[in-house]
Short mmCIF file of all heavy atoms in Angstrom, two decimals:
data_model
loop_
_atom_site.label_atom_id
_atom_site.label_comp_id
_atom_site.label_asym_id
_atom_site.label_seq_id
_atom_site.Cartn_x
_atom_site.Cartn_y
_atom_site.Cartn_z
N MET A 1 60.95 -44.46 79.02
CA MET A 1 59.66 -43.98 78.48
C MET A 1 59.61 -42.49 78.91
O MET A 1 59.11 -42.10 79.94
CB MET A 1 58.52 -44.78 79.13
CG MET A 1 57.21 -44.49 78.50
SD MET A 1 55.84 -45.39 79.31
CE MET A 1 56.28 -47.08 78.94
N PRO A 2 60.08 -41.67 77.99
CA PRO A 2 60.09 -40.20 78.30
C PRO A 2 58.71 -39.65 78.69
O PRO A 2 57.69 -40.00 78.04
CB PRO A 2 60.54 -39.54 76.98
CG PRO A 2 61.20 -40.66 76.23
CD PRO A 2 60.54 -41.91 76.69
N GLY A 3 58.69 -38.84 79.75
CA GLY A 3 57.37 -38.26 80.23
C GLY A 3 56.65 -39.14 81.11
O GLY A 3 55.69 -38.67 81.78
N PHE A 4 56.98 -40.42 81.22
CA PHE A 4 56.26 -41.34 82.12
C PHE A 4 57.13 -41.88 83.20
O PHE A 4 56.67 -42.21 84.30
CB PHE A 4 55.65 -42.46 81.33
CG PHE A 4 54.51 -42.01 80.45
CD1 PHE A 4 54.73 -41.66 79.13
CD2 PHE A 4 53.18 -42.05 80.93
CE1 PHE A 4 53.64 -41.23 78.36
CE2 PHE A 4 52.15 -41.64 80.15
CZ PHE A 4 52.39 -41.25 78.84
N LEU A 5 58.38 -42.04 82.97
CA LEU A 5 59.29 -42.78 83.92
C LEU A 5 59.69 -41.79 84.99
O LEU A 5 60.21 -40.75 84.76
CB LEU A 5 60.57 -43.31 83.17
CG LEU A 5 61.20 -44.55 83.73
CD1 LEU A 5 60.19 -45.65 84.01
CD2 LEU A 5 62.30 -45.00 82.84
N THR A 6 59.51 -42.20 86.28
CA THR A 6 59.94 -41.35 87.37
C THR A 6 60.31 -42.19 88.54
O THR A 6 59.74 -43.30 88.78
CB THR A 6 58.77 -40.37 87.75
OG1 THR A 6 59.05 -39.90 89.11
CG2 THR A 6 57.43 -41.01 87.79
N ASN A 7 61.26 -41.73 89.34
CA ASN A 7 61.69 -42.53 90.50
C ASN A 7 60.63 -42.52 91.59
O ASN A 7 60.73 -43.33 92.56
CB ASN A 7 63.04 -41.96 91.05
CG ASN A 7 64.18 -42.31 90.10
OD1 ASN A 7 64.17 -43.30 89.37
ND2 ASN A 7 65.15 -41.44 90.06
N ASP A 8 59.64 -41.67 91.54
CA ASP A 8 58.59 -41.59 92.56
C ASP A 8 57.60 -42.70 92.39
O ASP A 8 56.79 -42.97 93.32
CB ASP A 8 57.85 -40.25 92.47
CG ASP A 8 58.83 -39.05 92.79
OD1 ASP A 8 59.77 -39.28 93.52
OD2 ASP A 8 58.61 -37.98 92.30
N ALA A 9 57.54 -43.37 91.26
CA ALA A 9 56.51 -44.43 91.05
C ALA A 9 56.97 -45.68 91.75
O ALA A 9 58.17 -45.99 91.80
CB ALA A 9 56.31 -44.69 89.56
N ILE A 10 55.97 -46.40 92.27
CA ILE A 10 56.22 -47.75 92.95
C ILE A 10 56.28 -48.77 91.83
O ILE A 10 57.09 -49.68 91.85
CB ILE A 10 55.16 -48.02 94.00
CG1 ILE A 10 55.27 -47.02 95.08
CG2 ILE A 10 55.36 -49.45 94.53
CD1 ILE A 10 54.11 -47.02 96.04
N ILE A 11 55.34 -48.70 90.91
CA ILE A 11 55.27 -49.70 89.86
C ILE A 11 54.84 -48.98 88.58
O ILE A 11 54.05 -48.06 88.59
CB ILE A 11 54.25 -50.84 90.24
CG1 ILE A 11 54.34 -51.95 89.22
CG2 ILE A 11 52.84 -50.28 90.35
CD1 ILE A 11 53.49 -53.17 89.65
N HIS A 12 55.47 -49.43 87.48
CA HIS A 12 55.04 -48.88 86.17
C HIS A 12 54.26 -49.98 85.42
O HIS A 12 54.75 -51.13 85.36
CB HIS A 12 56.28 -48.52 85.33
CG HIS A 12 57.02 -47.38 85.87
ND1 HIS A 12 56.60 -46.05 85.66
CD2 HIS A 12 58.13 -47.33 86.67
CE1 HIS A 12 57.49 -45.24 86.30
NE2 HIS A 12 58.39 -45.95 86.85
N ALA A 13 53.08 -49.70 84.95
CA ALA A 13 52.29 -50.67 84.25
C ALA A 13 51.67 -50.09 82.98
O ALA A 13 50.52 -49.61 83.03
CB ALA A 13 51.20 -51.23 85.19
N PRO A 14 52.43 -49.96 81.94
CA PRO A 14 51.86 -49.34 80.70
C PRO A 14 50.65 -50.21 80.15
O PRO A 14 50.72 -51.42 80.21
CB PRO A 14 52.96 -49.36 79.73
CG PRO A 14 54.09 -50.16 80.29
CD PRO A 14 53.77 -50.39 81.73
N GLU A 15 49.59 -49.52 79.69
CA GLU A 15 48.48 -50.20 79.07
C GLU A 15 48.89 -50.53 77.70
O GLU A 15 49.32 -49.71 76.92
CB GLU A 15 47.25 -49.29 79.12
CG GLU A 15 46.03 -49.95 78.63
CD GLU A 15 44.84 -49.12 78.82
OE1 GLU A 15 44.61 -48.60 79.98
OE2 GLU A 15 44.04 -48.90 77.88
N THR A 16 48.91 -51.83 77.33
CA THR A 16 49.37 -52.26 76.04
C THR A 16 48.30 -52.55 75.07
O THR A 16 48.56 -52.72 73.86
CB THR A 16 50.27 -53.53 76.17
OG1 THR A 16 49.51 -54.54 76.79
CG2 THR A 16 51.47 -53.25 76.97
N ARG A 17 47.05 -52.57 75.50
CA ARG A 17 45.96 -52.84 74.57
C ARG A 17 44.76 -52.10 75.08
O ARG A 17 44.44 -52.15 76.16
CB ARG A 17 45.59 -54.38 74.49
CG ARG A 17 44.48 -54.66 73.57
CD ARG A 17 44.21 -56.14 73.47
NE ARG A 17 45.25 -56.75 72.65
CZ ARG A 17 45.70 -58.00 72.91
NH1 ARG A 17 45.18 -58.72 73.89
NH2 ARG A 17 46.63 -58.55 72.15
N THR A 18 44.08 -51.32 74.15
CA THR A 18 43.04 -50.47 74.61
C THR A 18 41.62 -50.90 74.20
O THR A 18 40.63 -50.36 74.55
CB THR A 18 43.22 -49.04 74.11
OG1 THR A 18 43.23 -49.12 72.68
CG2 THR A 18 44.44 -48.39 74.63
N SER A 19 41.64 -52.02 73.39
CA SER A 19 40.30 -52.56 73.04
C SER A 19 40.36 -54.01 72.77
O SER A 19 41.46 -54.57 72.73
CB SER A 19 39.73 -51.79 71.84
OG SER A 19 40.60 -51.95 70.70
N SER A 20 39.28 -54.61 72.54
CA SER A 20 39.16 -56.05 72.41
C SER A 20 39.94 -56.51 71.12
O SER A 20 39.86 -55.88 70.09
CB SER A 20 37.74 -56.48 72.25
OG SER A 20 37.66 -57.86 71.93
N PRO A 21 40.73 -57.54 71.22
CA PRO A 21 41.39 -58.09 70.04
C PRO A 21 40.52 -58.85 69.11
O PRO A 21 40.95 -59.18 68.00
CB PRO A 21 42.49 -59.04 70.66
CG PRO A 21 41.83 -59.54 71.91
CD PRO A 21 40.99 -58.36 72.43
N ILE A 22 39.29 -59.10 69.50
CA ILE A 22 38.38 -59.81 68.63
C ILE A 22 37.15 -59.01 68.34
O ILE A 22 36.82 -58.06 69.10
CB ILE A 22 37.94 -61.20 69.25
CG1 ILE A 22 37.19 -60.96 70.60
CG2 ILE A 22 39.13 -62.12 69.42
CD1 ILE A 22 36.26 -62.00 70.91
N SER A 23 36.41 -59.35 67.28
CA SER A 23 35.07 -58.75 67.07
C SER A 23 34.12 -59.88 66.83
O SER A 23 34.33 -60.73 66.03
CB SER A 23 35.21 -57.88 65.77
OG SER A 23 35.92 -56.73 65.98
N ILE A 24 32.99 -59.72 67.52
CA ILE A 24 31.89 -60.66 67.29
C ILE A 24 31.19 -60.14 65.96
O ILE A 24 30.76 -58.96 66.00
CB ILE A 24 30.96 -60.76 68.46
CG1 ILE A 24 31.71 -61.27 69.65
CG2 ILE A 24 29.74 -61.66 68.16
CD1 ILE A 24 30.92 -61.26 70.99
N PRO A 25 31.02 -60.94 64.95
CA PRO A 25 30.43 -60.39 63.73
C PRO A 25 28.94 -59.98 63.91
O PRO A 25 28.20 -60.70 64.58
CB PRO A 25 30.55 -61.58 62.73
CG PRO A 25 30.60 -62.82 63.59
CD PRO A 25 31.39 -62.35 64.85
N ARG A 26 28.61 -58.83 63.31
CA ARG A 26 27.21 -58.35 63.36
C ARG A 26 26.90 -57.71 62.11
O ARG A 26 27.79 -57.13 61.40
CB ARG A 26 27.00 -57.46 64.58
CG ARG A 26 27.57 -56.04 64.39
CD ARG A 26 27.36 -55.22 65.66
NE ARG A 26 27.85 -53.84 65.50
CZ ARG A 26 27.92 -52.97 66.47
NH1 ARG A 26 27.51 -53.27 67.65
NH2 ARG A 26 28.36 -51.72 66.24
N ASN A 27 25.62 -57.76 61.74
CA ASN A 27 25.08 -57.13 60.49
C ASN A 27 25.24 -55.64 60.65
O ASN A 27 24.79 -55.02 61.66
CB ASN A 27 23.61 -57.55 60.35
CG ASN A 27 23.04 -56.92 59.12
OD1 ASN A 27 22.97 -55.73 59.00
ND2 ASN A 27 22.58 -57.78 58.21
N PRO A 28 25.87 -54.91 59.65
CA PRO A 28 26.05 -53.50 59.78
C PRO A 28 24.80 -52.71 59.81
O PRO A 28 24.78 -51.58 60.31
CB PRO A 28 26.93 -53.18 58.58
CG PRO A 28 26.82 -54.28 57.66
CD PRO A 28 26.45 -55.49 58.46
N GLU A 29 23.71 -53.28 59.29
CA GLU A 29 22.44 -52.50 59.32
C GLU A 29 21.64 -52.80 60.59
O GLU A 29 21.20 -51.80 61.28
CB GLU A 29 21.58 -52.98 58.11
CG GLU A 29 22.24 -52.75 56.75
CD GLU A 29 22.16 -51.38 56.29
OE1 GLU A 29 21.21 -50.70 56.56
OE2 GLU A 29 23.20 -50.95 55.73
N THR A 30 21.45 -54.03 60.93
CA THR A 30 20.56 -54.32 62.07
C THR A 30 21.35 -54.42 63.42
O THR A 30 20.78 -54.41 64.48
CB THR A 30 19.94 -55.78 61.87
OG1 THR A 30 20.99 -56.78 61.88
CG2 THR A 30 19.17 -55.83 60.53
N LEU A 31 22.70 -54.50 63.27
CA LEU A 31 23.60 -54.59 64.45
C LEU A 31 23.44 -55.87 65.21
O LEU A 31 23.95 -56.11 66.32
CB LEU A 31 23.52 -53.43 65.38
CG LEU A 31 23.76 -52.03 64.66
CD1 LEU A 31 23.87 -50.97 65.78
CD2 LEU A 31 24.99 -52.03 63.86
N GLN A 32 22.61 -56.86 64.64
CA GLN A 32 22.47 -58.14 65.28
C GLN A 32 23.54 -59.10 64.83
O GLN A 32 24.10 -58.91 63.74
CB GLN A 32 21.04 -58.76 64.95
CG GLN A 32 19.90 -57.94 65.46
CD GLN A 32 18.57 -58.56 65.08
OE1 GLN A 32 18.44 -59.77 64.94
NE2 GLN A 32 17.49 -57.75 64.93
N HIS A 33 23.81 -60.11 65.63
CA HIS A 33 24.71 -61.13 65.25
C HIS A 33 24.39 -61.70 63.90
O HIS A 33 23.19 -61.82 63.57
CB HIS A 33 24.70 -62.21 66.38
CG HIS A 33 25.83 -63.26 66.19
ND1 HIS A 33 25.70 -64.31 65.33
CD2 HIS A 33 27.06 -63.28 66.74
CE1 HIS A 33 26.89 -65.02 65.38
NE2 HIS A 33 27.65 -64.43 66.22
N VAL A 34 25.35 -62.08 63.06
CA VAL A 34 25.10 -62.54 61.72
C VAL A 34 24.33 -63.86 61.69
O VAL A 34 23.71 -64.18 60.72
CB VAL A 34 26.39 -62.60 60.88
CG1 VAL A 34 26.98 -61.21 60.59
CG2 VAL A 34 27.43 -63.47 61.55
N GLN A 35 24.46 -64.64 62.79
CA GLN A 35 23.76 -65.97 62.73
C GLN A 35 22.72 -66.07 63.93
O GLN A 35 21.78 -66.90 63.75
CB GLN A 35 24.81 -67.06 62.95
CG GLN A 35 25.70 -67.24 61.72
CD GLN A 35 26.78 -68.24 61.99
OE1 GLN A 35 27.39 -68.24 63.10
NE2 GLN A 35 27.05 -69.09 61.05
N ILE A 36 22.78 -65.29 64.92
CA ILE A 36 21.89 -65.40 66.04
C ILE A 36 21.01 -64.15 66.14
O ILE A 36 21.46 -63.12 66.52
CB ILE A 36 22.68 -65.64 67.37
CG1 ILE A 36 23.62 -66.85 67.29
CG2 ILE A 36 21.73 -65.83 68.55
CD1 ILE A 36 24.60 -66.98 68.44
N GLY A 37 19.75 -64.35 65.75
CA GLY A 37 18.89 -63.17 65.76
C GLY A 37 18.63 -62.64 67.18
O GLY A 37 18.64 -63.32 68.19
N ASN A 38 18.33 -61.31 67.24
CA ASN A 38 18.03 -60.64 68.49
C ASN A 38 19.18 -60.62 69.50
O ASN A 38 19.02 -60.31 70.62
CB ASN A 38 16.84 -61.24 69.20
CG ASN A 38 15.61 -61.01 68.43
OD1 ASN A 38 15.42 -59.94 67.81
ND2 ASN A 38 14.71 -62.00 68.32
N LEU A 39 20.46 -60.98 68.94
CA LEU A 39 21.62 -60.88 69.81
C LEU A 39 22.43 -59.64 69.26
O LEU A 39 22.77 -59.63 68.08
CB LEU A 39 22.47 -62.07 69.77
CG LEU A 39 23.78 -62.03 70.59
CD1 LEU A 39 23.47 -61.88 72.06
CD2 LEU A 39 24.67 -63.24 70.27
N TYR A 40 22.69 -58.67 70.16
CA TYR A 40 23.32 -57.47 69.69
C TYR A 40 24.69 -57.40 70.24
O TYR A 40 24.83 -56.86 71.46
CB TYR A 40 22.50 -56.24 70.09
CG TYR A 40 21.18 -56.11 69.39
CD1 TYR A 40 20.08 -56.85 69.74
CD2 TYR A 40 21.08 -55.28 68.32
CE1 TYR A 40 18.86 -56.76 69.09
CE2 TYR A 40 19.86 -55.11 67.60
CZ TYR A 40 18.76 -55.88 68.04
OH TYR A 40 17.57 -55.84 67.34
N PRO A 41 25.76 -57.89 69.63
CA PRO A 41 27.12 -57.72 70.10
C PRO A 41 27.46 -56.29 70.18
O PRO A 41 27.31 -55.54 69.22
CB PRO A 41 28.00 -58.43 68.98
CG PRO A 41 27.07 -59.26 68.22
CD PRO A 41 25.76 -58.54 68.28
N CYS A 42 27.86 -55.85 71.37
CA CYS A 42 27.88 -54.36 71.59
C CYS A 42 29.14 -54.00 72.39
O CYS A 42 29.52 -54.68 73.32
CB CYS A 42 26.61 -54.00 72.28
SG CYS A 42 26.50 -52.20 72.72
N ALA A 43 29.66 -52.79 72.03
CA ALA A 43 30.67 -52.16 72.91
C ALA A 43 32.02 -52.88 72.90
O ALA A 43 32.40 -53.51 71.97
CB ALA A 43 30.12 -51.81 74.22
N GLU A 44 32.70 -52.75 74.00
CA GLU A 44 34.10 -53.11 74.03
C GLU A 44 34.35 -54.65 73.83
O GLU A 44 35.16 -55.05 73.03
CB GLU A 44 34.79 -52.58 75.26
CG GLU A 44 36.30 -52.90 75.24
CD GLU A 44 37.05 -52.23 76.38
OE1 GLU A 44 36.41 -51.83 77.34
OE2 GLU A 44 38.28 -52.16 76.25
N GLY A 45 33.70 -55.45 74.69
CA GLY A 45 34.00 -56.86 74.69
C GLY A 45 33.68 -57.50 73.30
O GLY A 45 34.29 -58.46 72.89
N ALA A 46 32.67 -56.90 72.64
CA ALA A 46 32.32 -57.45 71.32
C ALA A 46 33.23 -56.91 70.20
O ALA A 46 33.13 -57.25 69.04
CB ALA A 46 30.85 -57.11 71.01
N GLY A 47 34.10 -55.93 70.50
CA GLY A 47 35.03 -55.40 69.60
C GLY A 47 34.57 -54.17 68.86
O GLY A 47 35.10 -53.86 67.84
N TYR A 48 33.56 -53.40 69.45
CA TYR A 48 33.04 -52.29 68.73
C TYR A 48 33.27 -50.97 69.51
O TYR A 48 32.61 -49.95 69.17
CB TYR A 48 31.56 -52.51 68.45
CG TYR A 48 31.28 -53.55 67.47
CD1 TYR A 48 31.01 -54.90 67.89
CD2 TYR A 48 31.50 -53.42 66.11
CE1 TYR A 48 30.86 -55.95 67.01
CE2 TYR A 48 31.33 -54.39 65.20
CZ TYR A 48 31.02 -55.67 65.63
OH TYR A 48 30.89 -56.73 64.73
N ALA A 49 34.14 -50.98 70.49
CA ALA A 49 34.44 -49.82 71.24
C ALA A 49 35.79 -49.96 71.89
O ALA A 49 36.29 -51.04 72.08
CB ALA A 49 33.37 -49.51 72.26
N GLY A 50 36.39 -48.81 72.28
CA GLY A 50 37.71 -48.87 72.91
C GLY A 50 37.80 -47.97 74.10
O GLY A 50 38.89 -47.77 74.65
N GLY A 51 36.66 -47.49 74.58
CA GLY A 51 36.71 -46.58 75.77
C GLY A 51 35.31 -46.31 76.20
O GLY A 51 34.34 -46.80 75.68
N ILE A 52 35.16 -45.49 77.24
CA ILE A 52 33.89 -45.17 77.83
C ILE A 52 32.93 -44.58 76.82
O ILE A 52 31.75 -44.97 76.71
CB ILE A 52 34.05 -44.24 79.07
CG1 ILE A 52 34.82 -45.01 80.17
CG2 ILE A 52 32.71 -43.76 79.55
CD1 ILE A 52 35.35 -44.13 81.27
N VAL A 53 33.37 -43.57 76.16
CA VAL A 53 32.47 -42.83 75.24
C VAL A 53 32.03 -43.69 74.02
O VAL A 53 30.89 -43.74 73.69
CB VAL A 53 33.07 -41.48 74.78
CG1 VAL A 53 32.16 -40.81 73.75
CG2 VAL A 53 33.19 -40.54 76.01
N SER A 54 33.02 -44.33 73.40
CA SER A 54 32.71 -45.15 72.25
C SER A 54 31.82 -46.32 72.68
O SER A 54 30.96 -46.69 71.88
CB SER A 54 33.92 -45.64 71.52
OG SER A 54 34.83 -46.35 72.31
N ALA A 55 31.99 -46.87 73.82
CA ALA A 55 31.15 -47.97 74.34
C ALA A 55 29.74 -47.43 74.58
O ALA A 55 28.76 -48.17 74.20
CB ALA A 55 31.69 -48.54 75.60
N ALA A 56 29.59 -46.25 75.14
CA ALA A 56 28.28 -45.72 75.34
C ALA A 56 27.58 -45.39 74.06
O ALA A 56 26.37 -45.66 73.84
CB ALA A 56 28.38 -44.42 76.15
N ILE A 57 28.31 -44.84 73.05
CA ILE A 57 27.69 -44.50 71.77
C ILE A 57 27.27 -45.81 71.03
O ILE A 57 26.19 -45.82 70.43
CB ILE A 57 28.70 -43.71 70.92
CG1 ILE A 57 28.83 -42.26 71.47
CG2 ILE A 57 28.20 -43.59 69.46
CD1 ILE A 57 29.89 -41.44 70.93
N ASP A 58 28.09 -46.81 71.12
CA ASP A 58 27.72 -48.04 70.50
C ASP A 58 26.46 -48.64 71.18
O ASP A 58 25.62 -49.19 70.47
CB ASP A 58 28.84 -49.13 70.48
CG ASP A 58 28.64 -50.22 69.50
OD1 ASP A 58 28.41 -49.95 68.33
OD2 ASP A 58 28.77 -51.39 69.92
N GLY A 59 26.38 -48.54 72.46
CA GLY A 59 25.17 -49.03 73.14
C GLY A 59 23.95 -48.24 72.69
O GLY A 59 22.86 -48.82 72.45
N MET A 60 24.09 -46.92 72.52
CA MET A 60 22.98 -46.11 72.03
C MET A 60 22.54 -46.55 70.61
O MET A 60 21.37 -46.58 70.29
CB MET A 60 23.34 -44.67 72.11
CG MET A 60 23.41 -44.10 73.49
SD MET A 60 24.16 -42.49 73.58
CE MET A 60 22.87 -41.47 72.82
N LYS A 61 23.55 -46.82 69.80
CA LYS A 61 23.28 -47.24 68.35
C LYS A 61 22.44 -48.52 68.43
O LYS A 61 21.49 -48.74 67.68
CB LYS A 61 24.55 -47.49 67.61
CG LYS A 61 25.24 -46.22 67.10
CD LYS A 61 26.56 -46.41 66.56
CE LYS A 61 26.76 -47.45 65.55
NZ LYS A 61 28.14 -47.66 65.09
N CYS A 62 22.86 -49.51 69.30
CA CYS A 62 22.16 -50.79 69.42
C CYS A 62 20.73 -50.56 69.88
O CYS A 62 19.81 -51.20 69.41
CB CYS A 62 22.88 -51.76 70.23
SG CYS A 62 24.45 -52.38 69.48
N ILE A 63 20.54 -49.73 70.89
CA ILE A 63 19.22 -49.43 71.40
C ILE A 63 18.34 -48.86 70.33
O ILE A 63 17.18 -49.19 70.15
CB ILE A 63 19.28 -48.50 72.62
CG1 ILE A 63 19.84 -49.28 73.84
CG2 ILE A 63 17.92 -47.98 72.99
CD1 ILE A 63 19.02 -50.45 74.32
N ASP A 64 18.93 -47.91 69.52
CA ASP A 64 18.16 -47.30 68.44
C ASP A 64 17.62 -48.29 67.44
O ASP A 64 16.43 -48.28 67.10
CB ASP A 64 19.06 -46.25 67.72
CG ASP A 64 19.14 -44.93 68.48
OD1 ASP A 64 18.37 -44.74 69.42
OD2 ASP A 64 20.02 -44.08 68.11
N VAL A 65 18.46 -49.22 66.96
CA VAL A 65 17.99 -50.16 65.96
C VAL A 65 17.05 -51.18 66.60
O VAL A 65 16.12 -51.67 65.98
CB VAL A 65 19.20 -50.91 65.21
CG1 VAL A 65 19.97 -49.96 64.38
CG2 VAL A 65 20.12 -51.59 66.17
N LEU A 66 17.32 -51.48 67.85
CA LEU A 66 16.39 -52.41 68.53
C LEU A 66 14.96 -51.79 68.65
O LEU A 66 13.98 -52.49 68.32
CB LEU A 66 16.90 -52.71 69.96
CG LEU A 66 15.96 -53.51 70.87
CD1 LEU A 66 15.72 -54.92 70.28
CD2 LEU A 66 16.58 -53.59 72.29
N PHE A 67 14.91 -50.53 69.01
CA PHE A 67 13.56 -49.84 69.13
C PHE A 67 12.96 -49.74 67.77
O PHE A 67 11.74 -49.87 67.64
CB PHE A 67 13.74 -48.43 69.74
CG PHE A 67 13.94 -48.40 71.23
CD1 PHE A 67 13.97 -49.58 71.99
CD2 PHE A 67 13.95 -47.19 71.94
CE1 PHE A 67 14.12 -49.68 73.30
CE2 PHE A 67 14.09 -47.27 73.33
CZ PHE A 67 14.15 -48.43 74.07
N LEU A 68 13.75 -49.51 66.69
CA LEU A 68 13.22 -49.46 65.37
C LEU A 68 12.61 -50.84 65.03
O LEU A 68 11.52 -50.93 64.52
CB LEU A 68 14.29 -49.13 64.36
CG LEU A 68 14.51 -47.66 64.03
CD1 LEU A 68 15.62 -47.46 63.02
CD2 LEU A 68 13.22 -47.00 63.52
N ALA A 69 13.31 -51.91 65.40
CA ALA A 69 12.93 -53.24 65.05
C ALA A 69 11.60 -53.65 65.74
O ALA A 69 10.79 -54.39 65.21
CB ALA A 69 14.00 -54.31 65.38
N ILE A 70 11.35 -53.14 66.95
CA ILE A 70 10.19 -53.52 67.66
C ILE A 70 9.15 -52.33 67.71
O ILE A 70 8.15 -52.35 68.48
CB ILE A 70 10.50 -53.95 69.16
CG1 ILE A 70 11.18 -52.85 69.92
CG2 ILE A 70 11.29 -55.21 69.13
CD1 ILE A 70 11.38 -53.24 71.40
N ASN A 71 9.39 -51.34 66.79
CA ASN A 71 8.44 -50.22 66.56
C ASN A 71 8.16 -49.42 67.80
O ASN A 71 7.00 -49.11 68.11
CB ASN A 71 7.17 -50.76 65.98
CG ASN A 71 7.30 -51.12 64.54
OD1 ASN A 71 8.03 -50.37 63.78
ND2 ASN A 71 6.65 -52.15 64.13
N ILE A 72 9.15 -49.11 68.59
CA ILE A 72 8.97 -48.22 69.73
C ILE A 72 9.43 -46.83 69.32
O ILE A 72 10.55 -46.65 68.87
CB ILE A 72 9.69 -48.71 70.99
CG1 ILE A 72 9.04 -49.96 71.53
CG2 ILE A 72 9.67 -47.63 72.07
CD1 ILE A 72 9.60 -50.53 72.75
C1 FAD B 1 41.32 -49.60 84.87
C2 FAD B 1 40.57 -49.06 83.64
C3 FAD B 1 40.61 -47.78 83.37
C4 FAD B 1 39.97 -47.22 82.24
N1 FAD B 1 40.03 -45.87 82.03
C5 FAD B 1 39.39 -45.44 80.94
C6 FAD B 1 39.40 -44.01 80.65
O1 FAD B 1 40.02 -43.20 81.43
N2 FAD B 1 38.77 -43.56 79.62
C7 FAD B 1 38.05 -44.38 78.77
O2 FAD B 1 37.45 -43.94 77.77
N3 FAD B 1 38.02 -45.70 78.99
C8 FAD B 1 38.65 -46.21 80.03
N4 FAD B 1 38.64 -47.55 80.33
C9 FAD B 1 37.83 -48.44 79.36
C10 FAD B 1 36.36 -48.39 79.65
O3 FAD B 1 36.14 -48.60 81.02
C11 FAD B 1 35.68 -49.47 78.79
O4 FAD B 1 36.07 -49.32 77.47
C12 FAD B 1 34.16 -49.44 78.90
O5 FAD B 1 33.77 -49.46 80.28
C13 FAD B 1 33.59 -50.60 78.18
O6 FAD B 1 32.20 -50.55 78.38
P1 FAD B 1 31.31 -51.82 78.02
O7 FAD B 1 29.90 -51.41 78.28
O8 FAD B 1 31.72 -52.35 76.62
O9 FAD B 1 31.82 -52.91 79.05
P2 FAD B 1 31.70 -52.93 80.64
O10 FAD B 1 31.63 -51.56 81.19
O11 FAD B 1 32.78 -53.87 81.11
O12 FAD B 1 30.32 -53.56 80.88
C14 FAD B 1 30.15 -55.01 80.76
C15 FAD B 1 29.04 -55.35 81.73
O13 FAD B 1 28.59 -56.72 81.53
C16 FAD B 1 28.41 -57.30 82.77
N5 FAD B 1 28.55 -58.78 82.58
C17 FAD B 1 29.65 -59.46 82.24
N6 FAD B 1 29.33 -60.78 82.11
C18 FAD B 1 28.06 -60.91 82.35
C19 FAD B 1 27.11 -61.96 82.37
N7 FAD B 1 27.50 -63.21 82.10
N8 FAD B 1 25.81 -61.67 82.70
C20 FAD B 1 25.43 -60.46 82.95
N9 FAD B 1 26.25 -59.35 82.94
C21 FAD B 1 27.50 -59.57 82.62
C22 FAD B 1 29.54 -56.72 83.67
O14 FAD B 1 29.20 -56.90 85.02
C23 FAD B 1 29.53 -55.30 83.22
O15 FAD B 1 28.60 -54.54 84.01
C24 FAD B 1 39.23 -48.07 81.42
C25 FAD B 1 39.13 -49.48 81.72
C26 FAD B 1 39.79 -49.98 82.85
C27 FAD B 1 39.71 -51.43 83.19
#
């Protein structure tokens, strides 16, 4: 692995997957689960983010539509 392999390392552990292999289905407009109302599948575990920033942005998107839904 050019650029990564070195004799100074004790263990090499390449990250082979950077985001969830599954997506929990959600309505693209309301961001709620397609069958369970008021459930907002969000960020990495739900399959909508792959890192810190994308998880945070997806959380903000869900909060925005939630606040719209309850008129805050
Ligand atoms: C070792 C490591 C290094 C990483 N380095 C980077 C990096 O350098 N840059 C980058 O962009 N991303 C990195 N990531 C990925 C990043 O951390 C995640 O993509 C991000 O934290 C996902 O955010 P999330 O809110 O979706 O999930 P999480 O941050 O995992 O939040 C899920 C939360 O749900 C809580 N929870 C779980 N089950 C329950 C339950 N039943 N009831 C209540 N609460 C529950 C957990 O305690 C947790 O607080 C790294 C990840 C790891 C593991």
Side-chain angles (χ1 to χ4, degrees):
M1 192 183 295
F4 289 91
L5 207 52
T6 161
N7 290 332
D8 295 331
I10 296 169
I11 187 169
H12 292 281
E15 186 171 308
T16 57
R17 178 176 288 149
T18 57
S19 61
S20 173
I22 60 155
S23 291
I24 299 174
R26 73 183 184 188
N27 181 300
E29 303 284 322
T30 65
L31 304 187
Q32 293 180 33
H33 188 276
V34 292
Q35 290 173 317
I36 305 169
N38 294 322
L39 178 66
Y40 293 80
C42 178
E44 185 172 15
Y48 294 96
I52 293 167
V53 173
S54 58
I57 290 171
D58 196 52
M60 290 169 67
K61 282 169 53 182
C62 288
I63 289 294
D64 281 348
V65 292
L66 172 63
F67 280 5
L68 271 178
I70 59 176
N71 283 323
I72 290 183

